[in-house]
Amino acid sequence: MANARKNAIAALCEVERNGAYSNLLINKYLTNDMSPNDRALCSALFYGVLDRKITIDYCISLFVSNPIKSIAPITLAALRIAIFQLLFMEKIPESAAVNESVNVIKFSKERFNVGFANAVLRNFLRVGFEYPKGDSVTALSVRYSCPVSIINSFISDYGKPTAISLLQKFLEVPSVILRVNNIKTDKETLYEILTESGTEIEFTKYPNALKVIGGIDIANDKAYKQGLYHIENFASQFAIQKLDLHEGESVLDLCAAPGGKSFTMAQMMNNQGKIISFDLYEKRAQLIEKGAKRLGIDIIDARQGDATVYNETLGTFDAVLCDVPCSGFGVIARKPEIKYKKTEDFSQLEEIQSKILGNAAKYVKSGGRLMYSTCTLRKAENENAVKSFLDKHSEYRLQYEHTFMPHIDGTDGFYCALMTKSR
């Protein structure tokens, strides 16, 4: 049987090595020969270490003489997992946290580090750990396990109190939100189906949205396989509502994969009309196609295409959505590895976003709607980007703009701006 800690350590090493997305990577290590409890432990350790890595590394640094980056990868991942359990998982005995993690090193190619790892962990247990005092950015970085650069970005855009609220919220486990497929079922019926199958579900104030309490095994859920829902956060669903789509309309989704917003738009249109959904990569366009088929949606035409390049053969549309690539600072709770992105890439991102929005504007009919959205909380990518666009395009008017704040709205961090074209 696979070992939960060993698999979590292997997954963490791969994230460090390749920078893979956590939600895609971890599934590879949740193998069929693991018990449900081991799968849950492996997932909790993996996400927990990613979430708290700065705090954990600060703690480890107190008990080693060399820089963290000089520690061999398996040994470092094992130390991180052990410290995470000792600091944040009260139900796991200290002996299990230490011994099981060290055993992974013992039976690896880094077995020469067993004594070193044991010494670090025993010293930690003997001395203990205290967070740095005060609310300096450095202290906040250790306390909330977030890079100084991101904290400074939040403080610059929203002030320190709001920045701290965001940091606190990002360490909470986010809820799974289901978008009910109204083409096949309704909110009440899906609630009953999922409840009967043992999944705890809660009604929400949002139309066609249900909240999962605890967890849900999507891969093996019969209702999911039958296409009765897809996963989509409240903020995204609310933003799509603002497009006010109707049956028979034409829609262009320029950055569509994995397809959630396209699916929601098709459902709002009662599967009547036309949606062209683009993605830069053919394989991701195929994912949209596969998802639409599962949901019984046949008005989505998924294609490979570059959102920054104008294609005059497409014509114009009643509504155009550009949910652009972004820094992702609104979904840190779901994808904690986002915290460790290189901030020097942001200026390039902003240039791409500007190109996509400028290109999207060419596809909108006179009187049509254009929506720009991101899952980040950087004003440079949100309000500032839209203002810059409007300054250059007098034919557009801003109709709605909102930044969804996790600690206020109870959603992912998300920004959307709806604009209409007058001519």
Side-chain angles (χ1 to χ4, degrees), residues 67-134:
I68 291 286
K69 63 182 180 181
S70 69
I71 302 174
I74 295 172
T75 303
L76 179 57
L79 285 173
R80 284 170 170 166
I81 274 183
I83 294 292
F84 173 73
Q85 293 170 86
L86 294 170
L87 282 176
F88 302 110
M89 298 184 79
E90 295 178 358
K91 293 183 179 180
I92 293 183
E94 290 181 355
S95 57
V98 172
N99 295 337
E100 294 296 325
S101 299
V102 171
N103 275 340
V104 174
I105 302 173
K106 183 177 180 181
F107 294 100
S108 77
K109 62 184 179 181
E110 296 174 18
R111 61 184 66 88
F112 53 84
N113 274 333
V114 166
F116 164 75
N118 252 321
V120 170
L121 295 174
R122 298 301 173 189
N123 281 337
F124 166 79
L125 289 174
R126 179 175 54 82
V127 176
F129 169 74
E130 287 186 7
Y131 288 99
K133 300 191 187 313

Side-chain angles (χ1 to χ4, degrees), residues 146-158:
C146 190
V148 166
S149 59
I150 296 180
I151 298 173
N152 281 331
S153 174
F154 288 152
I155 291 172
S156 175
D157 282 343
Y158 305 106

Side-chain angles (χ1 to χ4, degrees), residues 243-397:
L243 269 172
D244 191 28
L245 296 168
H246 301 282
E247 294 178 6
E249 287 195 307
S250 60
V251 181
L252 176 62
D253 188 350
L254 276 172
C255 308
K261 296 176 184 65
S262 286
F263 303 152
T264 295
M265 290 190 290
Q267 290 161 10
M268 287 185 66
M269 296 161 66
N270 291 319
N271 203 28
Q272 296 182 45
K274 177 181 74 173
I275 299 175
I276 297 179
S277 301
F278 275 111
D279 192 82
L280 185 59
Y281 302 102
E282 179 64 34
K283 285 187 177 181
R284 286 172 63 80
Q286 290 171 2
L287 282 178
I288 302 170
E289 208 170 61
K290 184 178 178 182
K293 185 177 180 180
R294 178 181 63 82
L295 294 162
I297 295 168
D298 54 25
I299 67 168
I300 291 177
D301 178 6
R303 306 181 189 179
Q304 184 275 330
D306 187 340
T308 66
V309 178
Y310 180 62
N311 182 350
E312 63 180 8
T313 65
L314 291 176
T316 56
F317 297 80
D318 296 299
V320 175
L321 170 66
C322 45
D323 184 60
V324 297
C326 67
S327 56
F329 288 176
V331 291
I332 286 172
R334 297 187 190 279
K335 300 176 181 179
E337 73 278 5
I338 285 171
K339 291 191 281 192
Y340 313 114
K341 281 184 175 182
K342 295 179 180 178
T343 54
E344 54 263 31
D345 295 341
F346 294 160
S347 59
Q348 185 180 1
L349 260 180
E350 291 162 25
E351 184 180 343
I352 292 169
Q353 292 160 353
S354 177
K355 284 183 179 179
I356 292 173
L357 182 53
N359 189 41
K362 300 173 185 176
Y363 295 114
V364 183
K365 289 180 180 179
S366 178
R369 293 96 72 202
L370 171 62
M371 177 165 282
Y372 174 88
S373 63
T374 76
C375 59
T376 193
L377 295 174
R378 291 183 70 237
K379 288 190 176 182
E381 299 177 60
N382 296 342
E383 292 94 335
N384 297 356
V386 169
K387 184 181 184 305
S388 177
F389 169 81
L390 292 171
D391 287 344
K392 298 171 187 173
H393 294 81
S394 59
E395 73 275 24
Y396 279 91
R397 294 286 181 272

Side-chain angles (χ1 to χ4, degrees), residues 9-20 25 28-29 73-74 109:
I9 287 167
L12 288 168
C13 287
E14 187 168 342
V15 169
E16 289 288 315
R17 188 169 60 248
N18 300 327
L25 173 66
K28 184 169 74 173
Y29 291 93
I74 295 172
K109 62 184 179 181

